Amino acid sequence: MKYIYIILILVLANSAISAQNKDTQAADKLFKKFEFISAAESYLKLVASNNADGYVYRQLGECYYNIYNTKEAAKWYAKAITKKQNSELYYRYAQMLKANGNYAESNKQMQKFAEMEPNDSRAKIFNENPNYVPILLDQQKYFDVQSIDINSDKSDFGALLMDNTIYFTSARNSNSKIYSWTKEPFLDIYKANLNEDGTISNILLVNQINSKYHDGSISISQDGSTMYFTSDSFRENSFEKDKTNKLKLGRNNIFSAKFVNGKWDEITSLPFNSKDFSTGNPSISNDGKTLYFSSNRPGGIGGVDIWKVAISETGGYGTPENLGKNVNTEGNESFPFITSNDVLYFSSDAKQGLGAMDVYKIDLTKNSGAINLGKPVNSEKDDFAFTINENKKIGFVASNRNGNDDIFKLIPVCNYELNAIVTNATTGEVLAEANVSILDDKNNIISTKKSNGNGEVSYIVECQKNYTIQAIKNGFESNSFTVIASSNKGGSIKIEAALKPISEIITEKEVKLNPIFFEYNNSNITQQGAFELDKLVQIMKNNQKLIIFVKSHTDNRGSDEFNLLLSDKRVKSTIQYLISNGIDPNRISGKGFGETELKVDCKEKCTEDEHEQNRRSEFLIVK
């Protein structure tokens, strides 16, 4: 992932070298040559000799940023910002804090960035929704993530499944020259067999494609005849000379190859490559008519953008087009992957995400924004190079969540749309502004929404799982509705959440709530119990003269003395819950009756259901 930024870093690095002096000369020279690990070691010597200032701290932050050591980058950025810095450093600092899971402090730095760059789209998006992380954490799961036995101790990414062959990019080649930026070998393209049992075998270099420079990532046409891949422009002796620093600056370029007589051949540089900017990470459409790629070419919106170019029937290429602001930002968007139905997956470090770089998807047939894939595809770290084989329903993503660029296998999650319509059970009219929660099979609240003007709320849920819908509306009895597991993938189901007017649960003698069950040998208020008691809270607030006496009962397990004590604790828990929700203590009292008034007198042969019915509370109207 880090290799895509070479041109962008040149710009930032040159703007940063403004406070260099004779003490930093050696470190600065290494930095300009992109030898960031060696440069960091040199700057650290200045720190150790007490000869460091804000400039050195910033350069250390930049070194660790460029080798994605997020903890060290954040550490030195924190020291650097004691002196005023340009806006982009505050943004980078925020990204590194987010990559370490420190969202609160990250937001503080983003606020500073937004104040300095109010017209930047990254600032506008942040200001519109600064507390976006809980929403991302609560959203639907699109894929399950699995480890895969293909990774090495070096960078591995860019996996693509064609038939039963996985192509991927790796720096594992010990015979390759070492790249000074990362202290790892140059990248090569590999292939491996994906076996029926999910194991990996026969990992080999794709020798016909690889050069002595960086090669990868790739895309292959649906008929398997054409490969598009990223490689260094040095491959065709194309580079820019930096005479000041005595450097030859290569770019990322896209090349094509044809599969002829069982091997890749006829390697060709695409005509829209240039030695002045980078072009890479190709993805060919199913019909072979459009190639998507990333580039920092002129005319873009940010540092690296996603572009597309038309391919004619004769193999000619049109003029590259920027995908616009629904996809691109002032930051960096890269690693596009296009599906058969024109859904584009890509990675961005500037849209609202969980880490420095997250994976997003956007339907290019609609004028809508990009959607973050959330966890577990995305993490606090860098997540990128998403691909999926739609026929085999197997995808891949790369991530450094474990400290190194590794490939993870993705299995699509079966989802469907669950629509709930809240209505008045007596009149049938729809109820707007009801609070509707969806709970999982362990009674954990997943999300809460308000019903719209048509009484509707909708959730994307997983197939083969049970859910519960809870609906609450002032003036109505709250109620729960069970949703049985469905295999309705890609479709939708509707349920009616009918609520009775609350007056219907008040009799002359008692308030009739659904049973408030307690776990065996426990007096804690459960989530289900709180849901029922909230009805009583509402009734008592609406009827200020109402006085309630609570009777609590146990099942017949345990001694009489123990059960009386336990039921008394349950009464106190119930009363305390009501008081904590604003009910006057003088309006609520109660007593525990132990097992003296069993609802089901089943002696010693009670079923668990009968025991549960006996563990109950009653709410009698005193006045």
Side-chain angles (χ1 to χ4, degrees):
M1 190 277 306
K2 56 206 89 160
Y3 308 107
I4 195 64
Y5 295 113
I6 186 167
I7 303 303
L8 178 64
I9 286 171
L10 272 172
V11 176
L12 293 175
N14 287 339
S15 66
I17 308 294
S18 57
Q20 55 187 325
N21 54 51
K22 61 182 179 62
D23 295 322
T24 67
Q25 187 174 3
D28 292 338
K29 185 176 181 180
L30 292 167
F31 187 93
K32 292 176 184 178
K33 293 170 67 176
F34 310 115
E35 297 181 18
F36 298 114
I37 296 175
S38 298
E41 293 170 353
S42 187
Y43 287 123
L44 285 172
K45 290 179 182 178
L46 298 176
V47 175
S49 63
N50 295 317
N51 198 18
D53 55 12
Y55 168 76
V56 172
Y57 296 147
R58 172 180 174 142
Q59 290 301 98
L60 276 166
E62 297 285 77
C63 286
Y64 288 115
Y65 177 91
N66 288 314
I67 60 175
Y68 206 74
N69 184 331
T70 60
K71 290 185 178 179
E72 287 298 309
K75 170 185 172 181
W76 295 108
Y77 280 151
K79 292 179 179 292
I81 63 169
T82 57
K83 302 290 185 181
K84 187 175 181 180
Q85 301 285 350
N86 68 30
S87 59
E88 198 65 27
L89 186 133
Y90 289 96
Y91 179 77
R92 287 191 171 192
Y93 182 28
Q95 292 294 90
M96 293 298 95
L97 289 165
K98 186 166 62 171
N100 294 325
N102 190 347
Y103 294 117
E105 186 61 33
S106 175
N107 279 358
K108 291 181 182 178
Q109 301 307 320
M110 275 300 297
Q111 186 61 53
K112 292 180 182 178
F113 170 77
E115 291 170 357
M116 297 173 75
E117 302 288 347
N119 295 321
D120 190 295
S121 66
R122 294 169 292 178
K124 291 178 180 178
I125 293 170
F126 173 78
N127 286 331
E128 288 171 1
N129 187 17
N131 299 313
Y132 63 91
V133 171
I135 297 172
L136 289 182
L137 294 175
D138 286 342
Q139 75 177 28
Q140 73 179 92
K141 182 168 69 169
Y142 292 95
F143 295 89
D144 285 319
V145 174
Q146 301 174 358
S147 297
I148 184 170
D149 188 21
I150 201 172
N151 296 303
S152 66
D153 61 348
K154 302 295 190 293
S155 291
D156 301 286
F157 63 95
L160 177 74
L161 179 61
M162 295 296 294
D163 297 323
N164 294 315
T165 300
I166 300 177
Y167 292 87
F168 66 100
T169 302
S170 178
R172 68 183 66 197
N173 189 355
S174 59
N175 294 321
S176 180
K177 183 181 177 182
I178 298 299
Y179 185 38
S180 58
W181 182 333
T182 61
K183 300 294 186 183
E184 287 189 351
F186 276 72
L187 295 167
D188 284 313
I189 299 168
Y190 286 77
K191 67 178 181 178
N193 294 336
L194 177 63
N195 304 314
E196 291 295 327
D197 61 359
T199 59
I200 304 295
S201 62
N202 201 27
I203 299 176
L204 298 171
L205 278 163
V206 184
N207 287 316
Q208 312 99 306
I209 297 297
N210 292 311
S211 66
K212 63 181 180 180
Y213 306 106
H214 287 307
D215 300 292
S217 53
I218 76 164
S219 182
I220 298 177
S221 61
Q222 280 298 302
D223 61 8
S225 66
T226 306
M227 176 191 288
Y228 299 90
F229 65 97
T230 309
S231 188
D232 275 345
S233 61
F234 286 114
R235 187 183 191 113
E236 53 181 355
N237 201 32
S238 174
F239 52 83
E240 179 185 351
K241 289 184 177 180
D242 180 354
K243 294 182 180 179
T244 302
N245 296 304
K246 298 180 180 180
L247 291 175
K248 293 180 179 179
L249 303 176
R251 311 299 187 199
N252 294 326
N253 280 350
I254 298 178
F255 295 79
S256 66
K258 296 294 183 181
F259 197 67
V260 181
N261 297 325
K263 65 178 184 179
W264 294 104
D265 203 353
E266 301 179 21
I267 295 174
T268 305
S269 176
L270 299 195
F272 48 87
N273 291 323
S274 173
K275 67 177 183 179
D276 298 322
F277 49 79
S278 280
T279 306
N281 300 322
S283 178
I284 187 69
S285 62
N286 261 33
D287 60 11
K289 295 181 179 179
T290 307
L291 183 70
Y292 295 82
F293 61 92
S294 58
S295 178
N296 64 337
R297 66 186 51 237
I301 295 172
V304 177
D305 281 1
I306 294 175
W307 300 70
K308 68 177 181 178
V309 64
I311 303 175
S312 69
E313 293 183 1
T314 59
Y317 295 88
T319 301
E321 300 176 41
N322 190 284
L323 290 197
K325 293 186 177 180
N326 279 351
V327 173
N328 296 310
T329 67
E330 281 89 343
N332 302 291
E333 282 70 42
S334 190
F335 295 98
F337 179 81
I338 191 70
T339 68
S340 59
N341 57 349
D342 290 326
V343 173
L344 179 75
Y345 291 86
F346 65 97
S347 290
S348 172
D349 69 359
K351 294 181 180 292
Q352 290 190 322
L354 295 171
M357 179 165 270
D358 275 14
V359 180
Y360 299 79
K361 71 172 184 176
I362 184 170
D363 188 339
L364 296 181
T365 66
K366 301 176 181 178
N367 185 25
S368 58
I371 299 172
N372 187 298
L373 293 193
K375 287 198 170 187
V377 174
N378 291 318
S379 67
E380 289 77 15
K381 304 300 182 180
D382 270 341
D383 306 288
F384 58 100
F386 174 101
T387 66
I388 188 167
N389 185 307
E390 295 174 276
N391 293 327
K392 292 182 176 292
K393 295 180 172 57
I394 295 175
F396 298 98
V397 71
S399 176
N400 60 4
R401 66 188 66 183
N402 294 333
N404 197 45
D405 290 343
D406 286 332
I407 297 167
F408 294 86
K409 183 179 177 181
L410 303 176
I411 304 299
V413 172
C414 175
N415 292 321
Y416 68 95
E417 186 176 41
L418 172 61
N419 297 300
I421 302 175
V422 187
T423 62
N424 183 321
T426 302
T427 66
E429 70 173 314
V430 297
L431 299 177
E433 294 297 306
N435 288 316
V436 183
S437 299
I438 184 168
L439 290 72
D440 63 18
D441 54 3
K442 295 181 181 178
N443 283 328
N444 297 310
I445 294 178
I446 301 171
S447 178
T448 300
K449 300 180 180 179
K450 284 190 178 294
S451 58
N452 62 21
N454 296 319
E456 299 172 337
V457 295
S458 63
Y459 304 96
I460 302 297
V461 297
E462 294 182 41
C463 309
Q464 310 302 333
K465 284 191 176 183
N466 295 330
Y467 295 92
T468 300
I469 293 292
Q470 289 184 346
I472 302 172
K473 171 74 174 176
N474 191 32
F476 292 84
E477 177 190 358
S478 305
N479 208 349
S480 300
F481 308 88
T482 300
V483 182
I484 303 299
S486 169
S487 60
N488 191 21
K489 183 179 180 181
S492 63
I493 65 172
K494 289 185 179 181
I495 67 165
E496 183 177 358
L499 304 183
K500 297 178 182 179
I502 207 160
S503 58
E504 295 183 13
I505 67 172
I506 305 175
T507 70
E508 291 185 2
K509 295 182 178 180
E510 64 179 316
V511 176
K512 300 180 70 174
L513 301 181
N514 292 321
I516 299 176
F517 299 126
F518 295 88
E519 295 179 4
Y520 174 60
N521 194 19
N522 200 311
S523 62
N524 294 335
I525 299 294
T526 64
Q527 195 277 335
Q528 179 271 344
F531 181 72
E532 289 299 317
L533 288 176
D534 285 342
K535 301 178 187 179
L536 184 59
V537 170
Q538 185 184 153
I539 290 170
M540 295 187 75
K541 286 183 176 180
N542 292 341
N543 299 271
Q544 293 294 324
K545 294 183 179 180
L546 193 64
I547 297 176
I548 295 293
F549 180 81
V550 183
K551 294 177 68 176
S552 180
H553 307 272
T554 68
D555 57 36
N556 60 5
R557 290 178 289 189
S559 67
D560 293 349
E561 182 180 0
F562 175 82
N563 283 335
L564 282 171
L565 180 62
L566 179 60
S567 62
D568 190 57
K569 287 181 179 179
R570 289 174 174 172
V571 164
K572 290 178 180 177
S573 294
T574 301
I575 291 173
Q576 187 56 48
Y577 181 86
L578 297 169
I579 292 172
S580 69
N581 280 275
I583 302 303
D584 187 337
N586 295 319
R587 298 176 58 203
I588 186 79
S589 61
K591 180 181 178 181
F593 287 82
E595 59 180 280
T596 61
E597 296 183 5
L598 295 173
K599 184 176 183 180
V600 182
D601 192 6
C602 49
K603 307 301 180 184
E604 296 179 359
K605 297 182 180 181
C606 299
T607 65
E608 189 56 45
D609 180 65
E610 289 170 332
H611 280 312
E612 194 173 72
Q613 291 184 60
N614 285 328
R615 297 194 302 270
R616 70 198 190 280
S617 293
E618 298 171 302
F619 303 91
L620 306 182
I621 298 175
V622 177
K623 181 180 179 182

